[in-house]
Amino acid sequence: MNRPAARVDRGGKAALKRPTNVSLSVPLVDEAKRLGLNVSEACQAGLAAEVKKAREKAWLEENRAAIESSNEYVRKHGLPLAKYRLF
């Protein structure tokens, strides 16, 4: 059963947070705590990075045809307005 999201204030910035269970290796968690790391924040940062990577991959796949078409145009005709470039 999902518990409701809680509003957590982090440095004047409120965010909705949902309690979630994750399974992590014991040695990794022990080392993180020994180093003073916030395991929840580290997990969130890692998950955010993975979500970003997955979104970028999905965007590239969804737009692959347009990107290839644009690249083919440039290969055949060169860059539009290239004669006006100063570099």
Side-chain angles (χ1 to χ4, degrees):
M1 175 162 100
N2 286 338
R3 292 185 282 184
R7 190 164 295 277
V8 177
D9 188 13
R10 297 278 182 211
K13 191 174 177 184
L16 285 176
K17 300 255 182 164
R18 175 178 292 132
T20 305
N21 292 325
V22 295
S23 297
L24 304 169
S25 77
V26 172
L28 184 62
V29 172
D30 290 345
E31 182 72 2
K33 288 186 179 208
R34 187 183 70 72
L35 293 168
L37 297 175
N38 181 319
V39 174
S40 293
E41 292 298 321
C43 288
Q44 181 162 323
L47 183 57
E50 288 299 313
V51 166
K52 181 178 186 241
K53 190 165 53 169
R55 281 183 177 165
E56 289 170 352
K57 183 179 176 184
W59 186 91
L60 282 173
E61 189 58 38
E62 290 167 7
N63 292 284
R64 182 172 310 284
I67 294 167
E68 288 175 1
S69 174
S70 176
N71 288 341
E72 183 62 26
Y73 177 88
V74 170
R75 277 191 289 277
K76 285 183 181 176
H77 305 287
L79 290 172
L81 307 176
K83 65 183 177 181
Y84 300 107
R85 291 178 68 170
L86 299 175
F87 54 93

